[in-house]
Amino acid sequence: MGLTNTKIFIQEVSPRDGLQNEAVFVETEEKVKLINQLGDCGFAKVEVTSFTSPKAIPALRDAEEVMKQIVRNPRVDYTVLVPNVRGAERAMACNIDEANLVMSASESHNLVNLRMSRSDSMRQLKQIIDELSGTDIAINVSLSSVFGCPIEGNIQEEEILRLTDFFASQNVRGITLCDTTGMAYPTQVERVCSLMKRRFPQLELTLHFHDTRGMALANSLAGLNQGINRFDASLGGLGGCPYAPGASGNVCTEDMVHMFELMGLRTGVDVVRLLSIVKTLPQLIGHPTWGNISKAGRRLDLHPMPSSLNQDFTHSLTQHKSTT
Amino acid sequence: MGLTNTKIFIQEVSPRDGLQNEAVFVETEEKVKLINQLGDCGFAKVEVTSFTSPKAIPALRDAEEVMKQIVRNPRVDYTVLVPNVRGAERAMACNIDEANLVMSASESHNLVNLRMSRSDSMRQLKQIIDELSGTDIAINVSLSSVFGCPIEGNIQEEEILRLTDFFASQNVRGITLCDTTGMAYPTQVERVCSLMKRRFPQLELTLHFHDTRGMALANSLAGLNQGINRFDASLGGLGGCPYAPGASGNVCTEDMVHMFELMGLRTGVDVVRLLSIVKTLPQLIGHPTWGNISKAGRRLDLHPMPSSLNQDFTHSLTQHKSTT
C-alpha cells in the first residue's frame, strides 16, 4: 500500500462519545484522571466532554469541572461537543481548542437524534460558528449517518457534499464523516472519501467508524487507501449503537492503533499504555469493554514453548487437534 | 477497487474447524442436519469432518457416519481433514471430494500442534498424497501459522515458499494460508499473497483468517486487493484460538459474506439463510456465537421512524445525545 511511515492522527472520543452512553455517572475526578492518562498516550485530539444540557445527558453534567480540572498536554487538541449557542458560551469559558458541532446527513436521523430538521440544525450550527468567530477556537463538524441511516437507509452522496459545502463556506477546519450505526462498507468508504478529498482539499477530513457490523477496521483500511489520515476511535470500543443493543459500538482505539502500527504507519500512540488504561475501564463503567487486543494481546505477545511435549497439555492447547 | 462482480469462493469450515474445538459432542444427526443446511447456502466448499483418531478428537469421532449420511449438493465440494494414511483410507471409503492436509509453517507450532517436526509432517503428508494418487480426490494443504506463530513470532516468507514448493511439486490442487492465531495484518497479507500468486499461478490459493485481533475482515480486503478469491470462514465464528481464551476465533462467515456482497462481489452465498442457521448454533454448542451481523442485523435491516417524536423514547434511543 506504500503507506509506510505515513503520519496518522488518532482522535480519542471515549470521554465524550463513550461515557455519554453509559448508564452510570463516572465521578468527575475519575473522568479527569482518565483524560489526563489519555492525554499522555500520543493522541492528536481528545474529545473531552459535551456542553449539552445536563438534563439531556446527565452522564456529562460536569462538563465545566472536567474541562477546568484536566492537565492539558500541549501536543493534544482538546475538543468538546457543542450543540448550541448556550453550549458554545459555556465551552468558551473553558479554554477549549476545538468545538465539535454535530448534525446528521439524514433528515430522519436528525429528527430522532436532535429533535429538529436538518435545516434547523444548519441554522443552529451557523449561530455557534458566528459566536465562535474571532476566537482561536477551531471548528469541526461531525456529520452523522453519512454512510447510511438506520431509518432511511442509503444517503445520497450529493447530500453529504451539500452539507459539507455549507460548512466549508463557513470556514470550518474539519469535517468528520461518521458511520453512526456501522453501515459503511469498504468500497463505499473509498468512493465517498475520494469524492470528499477532491472536492474539499482545504478541509481536515476525519473518519469516525462504528464496528456494529464488524467492518470498522476494513473501512479504516479503505479510508487509508484514499489518503485519509485522521480517525476517531474509542478506548475499549466505548459508545454503543442505539439501534443494536449488545452490538459493538465505536471502533476500538487499541485495536486500530495496533493494526496501523503493524502496517508501519506512525500513529504516535503507545499501545501498551492504552492497554493499561483499558483494564481500568470496567471498574468505571460497570461492564466489560469491547475489543480484541485487550483479550488476545498484541501480535507479538508470544507464548512459551511447553516445557515437555509429553506433558499433559491443557485441553485448550489443542492436543493433536490439527488446528488450522 | 474495481472488483465488482468478481466471483468469490466461500468455504465453510464450521463443521470441522469449529466443532472440533467445542467441549460438547454434537450428535451425529445434528451434525448431518447442519451440514445439509450449509450445503444449500451457496458455499463453494464445506469442510465436513476430520478423519483423525477418535481418541484425539472425540468431538469428531463420528466422521464416517457424518460423511455417509449427509445429502450431497452437487455444486459443493465436500472436503475433510486427513492427518495420516490411516485417515486417508477411512476418508477414501466415504467418497470425499477433497482431502485437506495440515501442517504448520512454524517448527514450534508443528511440534505443539501435531507432535512432530515439520520434516516428519512433510513425509507423512507425502504418504497421504501417494495413497490418494490415481483417485479423483483433490488435495489441498492448509499451512498453519503462516502469518506468525504464537511461540516463534514472525515466520520467514522463504519458509512459506519452501513448503509450498514441496507441495506444488506433488501436484496438489490448492494451498490454504492459515492465520491460525490471528497474527496477520493487511500489508503483510498483501506481500505474502502477491508473492504466492506470482510464484504459484497454478495453485488454488485460499486465505484462512482468524479474527483473534480484530483484523480478519481488513486482512480479507488486503487479500482481495491481491486477487485472492477463496476464503475459509466459519459460521458464528466457531473455532477458537487456543492461545487466547475468550478471544474470537475463525472469521465469521456471515460477517464476511455480508461485507463482500455489499462490495458487489458475487459470493453466491445467501446471508439470510446463514443467519437463520446461526440462530440454531447456541443450542447445539451450549454457548453464544461470535460475530456482528447476527446481533446488529444486515446493513439495510432498517428501523421504523418513532411514531411520535414527542413520545418518551427509550433511553437507548439516545435522546438528544448528539450521537455521532
Side-chain angles (χ1 to χ4, degrees), chain B residues 109-146:
Chain B
H109 184 255
N110 209 70
L111 283 168
V112 171
N113 196 38
L114 302 173
R115 306 292 178 103
M116 64 181 86
S117 67
R118 287 180 301 171
S119 52
D120 283 347
S121 273
M122 287 162 88
R123 258 189 296 278
Q124 188 159 312
L125 299 191
K126 170 81 168 72
Q127 288 169 5
I128 302 173
I129 294 168
D130 290 344
E131 179 76 21
L132 295 175
S133 76
T135 72
D136 59 357
I137 297 171
I139 295 172
N140 184 74
V141 178
S142 287
L143 294 177
S144 316
S145 296
V146 155

mmCIF file of all heavy atoms in Angstrom, chain B residues 109-146:
data_model
loop_
_atom_site.group_PDB
_atom_site.id
_atom_site.type_symbol
_atom_site.label_atom_id
_atom_site.label_comp_id
_atom_site.label_asym_id
_atom_site.label_seq_id
_atom_site.Cartn_x
_atom_site.Cartn_y
_atom_site.Cartn_z
ATOM 1 N N HIS B 109 5.189 -24.544 16.324
ATOM 2 C CA HIS B 109 3.745 -24.784 16.311
ATOM 3 C C HIS B 109 3.432 -26.188 15.816
ATOM 4 O O HIS B 109 2.516 -26.851 16.303
ATOM 5 C CB HIS B 109 3.035 -23.730 15.454
ATOM 6 C CG HIS B 109 1.541 -23.862 15.475
ATOM 7 N ND1 HIS B 109 0.826 -24.381 14.428
ATOM 8 C CD2 HIS B 109 0.642 -23.583 16.449
ATOM 9 C CE1 HIS B 109 -0.458 -24.389 14.742
ATOM 10 N NE2 HIS B 109 -0.610 -23.916 15.963
ATOM 11 N N ASN B 110 4.229 -26.677 14.852
ATOM 12 C CA ASN B 110 4.016 -28.042 14.363
ATOM 13 C C ASN B 110 4.277 -29.054 15.478
ATOM 14 O O ASN B 110 3.510 -30.007 15.663
ATOM 15 C CB ASN B 110 4.938 -28.323 13.172
ATOM 16 C CG ASN B 110 4.344 -29.338 12.217
ATOM 17 O OD1 ASN B 110 3.366 -29.046 11.529
ATOM 18 N ND2 ASN B 110 4.919 -30.530 12.175
ATOM 19 N N LEU B 111 5.337 -28.806 16.249
ATOM 20 C CA LEU B 111 5.669 -29.698 17.367
ATOM 21 C C LEU B 111 4.552 -29.721 18.401
ATOM 22 O O LEU B 111 4.156 -30.777 18.893
ATOM 23 C CB LEU B 111 6.978 -29.252 18.039
ATOM 24 C CG LEU B 111 8.272 -29.611 17.292
ATOM 25 C CD1 LEU B 111 9.464 -28.868 17.895
ATOM 26 C CD2 LEU B 111 8.506 -31.134 17.318
ATOM 27 N N VAL B 112 4.021 -28.563 18.728
ATOM 28 C CA VAL B 112 2.983 -28.483 19.756
ATOM 29 C C VAL B 112 1.653 -29.024 19.233
ATOM 30 O O VAL B 112 0.947 -29.756 19.904
ATOM 31 C CB VAL B 112 2.800 -27.023 20.234
ATOM 32 C CG1 VAL B 112 1.580 -26.898 21.131
ATOM 33 C CG2 VAL B 112 4.051 -26.553 20.953
ATOM 34 N N ASN B 113 1.330 -28.667 18.005
ATOM 35 C CA ASN B 113 0.009 -28.979 17.464
ATOM 36 C C ASN B 113 -0.060 -30.402 16.919
ATOM 37 O O ASN B 113 -1.066 -31.078 17.078
ATOM 38 C CB ASN B 113 -0.310 -27.968 16.352
ATOM 39 C CG ASN B 113 -1.777 -27.941 15.992
ATOM 40 O OD1 ASN B 113 -2.639 -28.050 16.866
ATOM 41 N ND2 ASN B 113 -2.075 -27.810 14.714
ATOM 42 N N LEU B 114 1.000 -30.854 16.284
ATOM 43 C CA LEU B 114 0.970 -32.165 15.633
ATOM 44 C C LEU B 114 1.963 -33.148 16.230
ATOM 45 O O LEU B 114 2.047 -34.304 15.790
ATOM 46 C CB LEU B 114 1.231 -32.004 14.123
ATOM 47 C CG LEU B 114 0.246 -31.101 13.375
ATOM 48 C CD1 LEU B 114 0.697 -30.877 11.941
ATOM 49 C CD2 LEU B 114 -1.157 -31.716 13.404
ATOM 50 N N ARG B 115 2.738 -32.702 17.224
ATOM 51 C CA ARG B 115 3.681 -33.573 17.930
ATOM 52 C C ARG B 115 4.734 -34.193 17.011
ATOM 53 O O ARG B 115 5.132 -35.359 17.197
ATOM 54 C CB ARG B 115 2.931 -34.715 18.661
ATOM 55 C CG ARG B 115 1.845 -34.248 19.588
ATOM 56 C CD ARG B 115 2.451 -33.507 20.773
ATOM 57 N NE ARG B 115 1.409 -33.025 21.642
ATOM 58 C CZ ARG B 115 1.089 -33.604 22.806
ATOM 59 N NH1 ARG B 115 1.752 -34.644 23.233
ATOM 60 N NH2 ARG B 115 0.113 -33.119 23.553
ATOM 61 N N MET B 116 5.107 -33.475 15.999
ATOM 62 C CA MET B 116 6.212 -33.963 15.166
ATOM 63 C C MET B 116 6.890 -32.775 14.495
ATOM 64 O O MET B 116 6.365 -31.664 14.488
ATOM 65 C CB MET B 116 5.718 -34.986 14.131
ATOM 66 C CG MET B 116 4.735 -34.441 13.105
ATOM 67 S SD MET B 116 4.174 -35.722 11.945
ATOM 68 C CE MET B 116 2.803 -36.433 12.844
ATOM 69 N N SER B 117 8.084 -33.024 13.976
ATOM 70 C CA SER B 117 8.803 -31.959 13.280
ATOM 71 C C SER B 117 8.130 -31.688 11.943
ATOM 72 O O SER B 117 7.343 -32.503 11.442
ATOM 73 C CB SER B 117 10.254 -32.382 13.047
ATOM 74 O OG SER B 117 10.252 -33.458 12.118
ATOM 75 N N ARG B 118 8.461 -30.539 11.362
ATOM 76 C CA ARG B 118 7.896 -30.262 10.047
ATOM 77 C C ARG B 118 8.361 -31.271 9.002
ATOM 78 O O ARG B 118 7.599 -31.666 8.123
ATOM 79 C CB ARG B 118 8.250 -28.834 9.610
ATOM 80 C CG ARG B 118 7.472 -27.769 10.375
ATOM 81 C CD ARG B 118 7.860 -26.392 9.905
ATOM 82 N NE ARG B 118 9.290 -26.190 10.099
ATOM 83 C CZ ARG B 118 9.982 -25.152 9.631
ATOM 84 N NH1 ARG B 118 9.373 -24.236 8.918
ATOM 85 N NH2 ARG B 118 11.274 -25.036 9.861
ATOM 86 N N SER B 119 9.616 -31.719 9.098
ATOM 87 C CA SER B 119 10.077 -32.674 8.082
ATOM 88 C C SER B 119 9.325 -34.004 8.224
ATOM 89 O O SER B 119 8.992 -34.642 7.214
ATOM 90 C CB SER B 119 11.597 -32.856 8.114
ATOM 91 O OG SER B 119 12.010 -33.150 9.418
ATOM 92 N N ASP B 120 9.018 -34.400 9.462
ATOM 93 C CA ASP B 120 8.190 -35.601 9.636
ATOM 94 C C ASP B 120 6.781 -35.378 9.072
ATOM 95 O O ASP B 120 6.197 -36.262 8.453
ATOM 96 C CB ASP B 120 8.104 -35.987 11.128
ATOM 97 C CG ASP B 120 9.377 -36.669 11.618
ATOM 98 O OD1 ASP B 120 10.206 -37.068 10.758
ATOM 99 O OD2 ASP B 120 9.566 -36.771 12.842
ATOM 100 N N SER B 121 6.249 -34.183 9.284
ATOM 101 C CA SER B 121 4.930 -33.882 8.710
ATOM 102 C C SER B 121 4.968 -33.966 7.189
ATOM 103 O O SER B 121 4.064 -34.513 6.558
ATOM 104 C CB SER B 121 4.474 -32.475 9.129
ATOM 105 O OG SER B 121 3.801 -32.513 10.374
ATOM 106 N N MET B 122 6.015 -33.414 6.600
ATOM 107 C CA MET B 122 6.113 -33.448 5.143
ATOM 108 C C MET B 122 6.145 -34.889 4.631
ATOM 109 O O MET B 122 5.491 -35.227 3.652
ATOM 110 C CB MET B 122 7.346 -32.669 4.679
ATOM 111 C CG MET B 122 7.148 -31.158 4.825
ATOM 112 S SD MET B 122 8.702 -30.232 4.797
ATOM 113 C CE MET B 122 8.888 -29.949 3.035
ATOM 114 N N ARG B 123 6.925 -35.731 5.337
ATOM 115 C CA ARG B 123 6.971 -37.149 4.952
ATOM 116 C C ARG B 123 5.593 -37.804 5.072
ATOM 117 O O ARG B 123 5.143 -38.525 4.184
ATOM 118 C CB ARG B 123 7.954 -37.902 5.871
ATOM 119 C CG ARG B 123 9.306 -38.174 5.233
ATOM 120 C CD ARG B 123 10.150 -39.123 6.102
ATOM 121 N NE ARG B 123 10.487 -38.557 7.404
ATOM 122 C CZ ARG B 123 11.504 -37.717 7.601
ATOM 123 N NH1 ARG B 123 12.299 -37.358 6.603
ATOM 124 N NH2 ARG B 123 11.746 -37.231 8.807
ATOM 125 N N GLN B 124 4.926 -37.491 6.182
ATOM 126 C CA GLN B 124 3.611 -38.097 6.425
ATOM 127 C C GLN B 124 2.577 -37.623 5.402
ATOM 128 O O GLN B 124 1.776 -38.399 4.898
ATOM 129 C CB GLN B 124 3.156 -37.741 7.852
ATOM 130 C CG GLN B 124 1.904 -38.454 8.281
ATOM 131 C CD GLN B 124 1.769 -38.500 9.813
ATOM 132 O OE1 GLN B 124 2.701 -38.847 10.544
ATOM 133 N NE2 GLN B 124 0.597 -38.144 10.289
ATOM 134 N N LEU B 125 2.619 -36.349 5.082
ATOM 135 C CA LEU B 125 1.651 -35.829 4.105
ATOM 136 C C LEU B 125 1.965 -36.371 2.711
ATOM 137 O O LEU B 125 1.064 -36.642 1.916
ATOM 138 C CB LEU B 125 1.645 -34.297 4.123
ATOM 139 C CG LEU B 125 1.257 -33.638 5.473
ATOM 140 C CD1 LEU B 125 1.025 -32.134 5.296
ATOM 141 C CD2 LEU B 125 0.029 -34.268 6.108
ATOM 142 N N LYS B 126 3.253 -36.564 2.435
ATOM 143 C CA LYS B 126 3.643 -37.173 1.146
ATOM 144 C C LYS B 126 3.068 -38.579 1.021
ATOM 145 O O LYS B 126 2.598 -38.992 -0.062
ATOM 146 C CB LYS B 126 5.180 -37.186 1.064
ATOM 147 C CG LYS B 126 5.774 -37.990 -0.083
ATOM 148 C CD LYS B 126 5.748 -37.212 -1.384
ATOM 149 C CE LYS B 126 6.596 -37.885 -2.467
ATOM 150 N NZ LYS B 126 5.999 -39.121 -3.002
ATOM 151 N N GLN B 127 3.071 -39.318 2.123
ATOM 152 C CA GLN B 127 2.473 -40.664 2.108
ATOM 153 C C GLN B 127 0.982 -40.611 1.782
ATOM 154 O O GLN B 127 0.459 -41.433 1.035
ATOM 155 C CB GLN B 127 2.652 -41.346 3.474
ATOM 156 C CG GLN B 127 4.074 -41.792 3.785
ATOM 157 C CD GLN B 127 4.235 -42.206 5.251
ATOM 158 O OE1 GLN B 127 3.252 -42.234 5.998
ATOM 159 N NE2 GLN B 127 5.464 -42.520 5.646
ATOM 160 N N ILE B 128 0.312 -39.605 2.362
ATOM 161 C CA ILE B 128 -1.128 -39.462 2.077
ATOM 162 C C ILE B 128 -1.322 -39.146 0.599
ATOM 163 O O ILE B 128 -2.191 -39.716 -0.073
ATOM 164 C CB ILE B 128 -1.749 -38.337 2.929
ATOM 165 C CG1 ILE B 128 -1.546 -38.615 4.416
ATOM 166 C CG2 ILE B 128 -3.224 -38.166 2.600
ATOM 167 C CD1 ILE B 128 -1.997 -37.461 5.317
ATOM 168 N N ILE B 129 -0.512 -38.225 0.098
ATOM 169 C CA ILE B 129 -0.626 -37.830 -1.316
ATOM 170 C C ILE B 129 -0.414 -39.049 -2.211
ATOM 171 O O ILE B 129 -1.166 -39.271 -3.174
ATOM 172 C CB ILE B 129 0.387 -36.703 -1.636
ATOM 173 C CG1 ILE B 129 0.006 -35.426 -0.871
ATOM 174 C CG2 ILE B 129 0.440 -36.433 -3.135
ATOM 175 C CD1 ILE B 129 1.077 -34.335 -0.864
ATOM 176 N N ASP B 130 0.580 -39.875 -1.875
ATOM 177 C CA ASP B 130 0.823 -41.085 -2.661
ATOM 178 C C ASP B 130 -0.377 -42.025 -2.583
ATOM 179 O O ASP B 130 -0.797 -42.610 -3.582
ATOM 180 C CB ASP B 130 2.080 -41.809 -2.133
ATOM 181 C CG ASP B 130 3.350 -41.033 -2.453
ATOM 182 O OD1 ASP B 130 3.294 -40.125 -3.323
ATOM 183 O OD2 ASP B 130 4.392 -41.303 -1.825
ATOM 184 N N GLU B 131 -0.908 -42.152 -1.382
ATOM 185 C CA GLU B 131 -2.067 -43.025 -1.171
ATOM 186 C C GLU B 131 -3.252 -42.578 -2.034
ATOM 187 O O GLU B 131 -3.995 -43.390 -2.568
ATOM 188 C CB GLU B 131 -2.455 -42.980 0.317
ATOM 189 C CG GLU B 131 -3.661 -43.804 0.716
ATOM 190 C CD GLU B 131 -3.340 -45.290 0.798
ATOM 191 O OE1 GLU B 131 -2.157 -45.633 0.938
ATOM 192 O OE2 GLU B 131 -4.295 -46.104 0.697
ATOM 193 N N LEU B 132 -3.395 -41.272 -2.176
ATOM 194 C CA LEU B 132 -4.563 -40.757 -2.906
ATOM 195 C C LEU B 132 -4.306 -40.624 -4.408
ATOM 196 O O LEU B 132 -5.235 -40.359 -5.176
ATOM 197 C CB LEU B 132 -4.970 -39.377 -2.345
ATOM 198 C CG LEU B 132 -5.466 -39.366 -0.888
ATOM 199 C CD1 LEU B 132 -5.727 -37.935 -0.417
ATOM 200 C CD2 LEU B 132 -6.736 -40.205 -0.739
ATOM 201 N N SER B 133 -3.068 -40.816 -4.812
ATOM 202 C CA SER B 133 -2.763 -40.612 -6.234
ATOM 203 C C SER B 133 -3.499 -41.663 -7.066
ATOM 204 O O SER B 133 -3.643 -42.812 -6.658
ATOM 205 C CB SER B 133 -1.255 -40.694 -6.484
ATOM 206 O OG SER B 133 -0.843 -42.033 -6.455
ATOM 207 N N GLY B 134 -3.993 -41.254 -8.215
ATOM 208 C CA GLY B 134 -4.750 -42.174 -9.058
ATOM 209 C C GLY B 134 -6.235 -42.146 -8.743
ATOM 210 O O GLY B 134 -7.044 -42.651 -9.510
ATOM 211 N N THR B 135 -6.630 -41.547 -7.634
ATOM 212 C CA THR B 135 -8.062 -41.363 -7.351
ATOM 213 C C THR B 135 -8.459 -39.989 -7.904
ATOM 214 O O THR B 135 -7.601 -39.215 -8.337
ATOM 215 C CB THR B 135 -8.349 -41.375 -5.832
ATOM 216 O OG1 THR B 135 -7.844 -40.149 -5.266
ATOM 217 C CG2 THR B 135 -7.693 -42.560 -5.151
ATOM 218 N N ASP B 136 -9.745 -39.696 -7.882
ATOM 219 C CA ASP B 136 -10.146 -38.349 -8.330
ATOM 220 C C ASP B 136 -10.344 -37.398 -7.140
ATOM 221 O O ASP B 136 -11.023 -36.389 -7.243
ATOM 222 C CB ASP B 136 -11.396 -38.403 -9.212
ATOM 223 C CG ASP B 136 -12.569 -39.037 -8.484
ATOM 224 O OD1 ASP B 136 -12.385 -39.476 -7.317
ATOM 225 O OD2 ASP B 136 -13.669 -39.107 -9.070
ATOM 226 N N ILE B 137 -9.739 -37.759 -6.024
ATOM 227 C CA ILE B 137 -9.818 -36.903 -4.835
ATOM 228 C C ILE B 137 -8.782 -35.781 -4.943
ATOM 229 O O ILE B 137 -7.594 -36.048 -5.137
ATOM 230 C CB ILE B 137 -9.568 -37.727 -3.548
ATOM 231 C CG1 ILE B 137 -10.666 -38.793 -3.394
ATOM 232 C CG2 ILE B 137 -9.514 -36.814 -2.318
ATOM 233 C CD1 ILE B 137 -10.400 -39.793 -2.283
ATOM 234 N N ALA B 138 -9.264 -34.548 -4.870
ATOM 235 C CA ALA B 138 -8.347 -33.403 -4.918
ATOM 236 C C ALA B 138 -7.621 -33.272 -3.582
ATOM 237 O O ALA B 138 -8.104 -33.748 -2.554
ATOM 238 C CB ALA B 138 -9.126 -32.128 -5.221
ATOM 239 N N ILE B 139 -6.470 -32.647 -3.637
ATOM 240 C CA ILE B 139 -5.703 -32.467 -2.402
ATOM 241 C C ILE B 139 -5.425 -30.992 -2.165
ATOM 242 O O ILE B 139 -4.984 -30.262 -3.060
ATOM 243 C CB ILE B 139 -4.371 -33.243 -2.460
ATOM 244 C CG1 ILE B 139 -4.664 -34.751 -2.511
ATOM 245 C CG2 ILE B 139 -3.497 -32.917 -1.248
ATOM 246 C CD1 ILE B 139 -3.450 -35.593 -2.768
ATOM 247 N N ASN B 140 -5.740 -30.571 -0.933
ATOM 248 C CA ASN B 140 -5.422 -29.209 -0.506
ATOM 249 C C ASN B 140 -4.506 -29.324 0.714
ATOM 250 O O ASN B 140 -4.675 -30.220 1.533
ATOM 251 C CB ASN B 140 -6.715 -28.467 -0.124
ATOM 252 C CG ASN B 140 -6.450 -27.014 0.230
ATOM 253 O OD1 ASN B 140 -6.197 -26.191 -0.645
ATOM 254 N ND2 ASN B 140 -6.489 -26.701 1.511
ATOM 255 N N VAL B 141 -3.568 -28.428 0.812
ATOM 256 C CA VAL B 141 -2.728 -28.404 2.015
ATOM 257 C C VAL B 141 -2.937 -27.082 2.744
ATOM 258 O O VAL B 141 -2.762 -26.006 2.168
ATOM 259 C CB VAL B 141 -1.232 -28.590 1.691
ATOM 260 C CG1 VAL B 141 -0.400 -28.506 2.968
ATOM 261 C CG2 VAL B 141 -1.003 -29.918 0.987
ATOM 262 N N SER B 142 -3.363 -27.187 4.006
ATOM 263 C CA SER B 142 -3.521 -25.998 4.849
ATOM 264 C C SER B 142 -2.250 -25.794 5.649
ATOM 265 O O SER B 142 -1.874 -26.647 6.457
ATOM 266 C CB SER B 142 -4.713 -26.177 5.799
ATOM 267 O OG SER B 142 -5.928 -26.063 5.075
ATOM 268 N N LEU B 143 -1.589 -24.685 5.403
ATOM 269 C CA LEU B 143 -0.375 -24.361 6.152
ATOM 270 C C LEU B 143 -0.752 -23.445 7.317
ATOM 271 O O LEU B 143 -1.198 -22.314 7.112
ATOM 272 C CB LEU B 143 0.642 -23.663 5.251
ATOM 273 C CG LEU B 143 1.241 -24.498 4.108
ATOM 274 C CD1 LEU B 143 2.169 -23.634 3.259
ATOM 275 C CD2 LEU B 143 1.993 -25.715 4.668
ATOM 276 N N SER B 144 -0.586 -23.940 8.532
ATOM 277 C CA SER B 144 -0.923 -23.149 9.720
ATOM 278 C C SER B 144 0.162 -22.129 10.008
ATOM 279 O O SER B 144 1.317 -22.295 9.602
ATOM 280 C CB SER B 144 -1.034 -24.055 10.951
ATOM 281 O OG SER B 144 -1.737 -25.219 10.664
ATOM 282 N N SER B 145 -0.210 -21.137 10.774
ATOM 283 C CA SER B 145 0.747 -20.170 11.339
ATOM 284 C C SER B 145 1.613 -19.476 10.298
ATOM 285 O O SER B 145 2.736 -19.067 10.579
ATOM 286 C CB SER B 145 1.689 -20.874 12.341
ATOM 287 O OG SER B 145 0.941 -21.344 13.421
ATOM 288 N N VAL B 146 1.079 -19.362 9.093
ATOM 289 C CA VAL B 146 1.835 -18.758 8.007
ATOM 290 C C VAL B 146 2.157 -17.294 8.295
ATOM 291 O O VAL B 146 3.208 -16.785 7.909
ATOM 292 C CB VAL B 146 1.012 -18.895 6.700
ATOM 293 C CG1 VAL B 146 1.384 -17.823 5.695
ATOM 294 C CG2 VAL B 146 1.190 -20.290 6.119
#
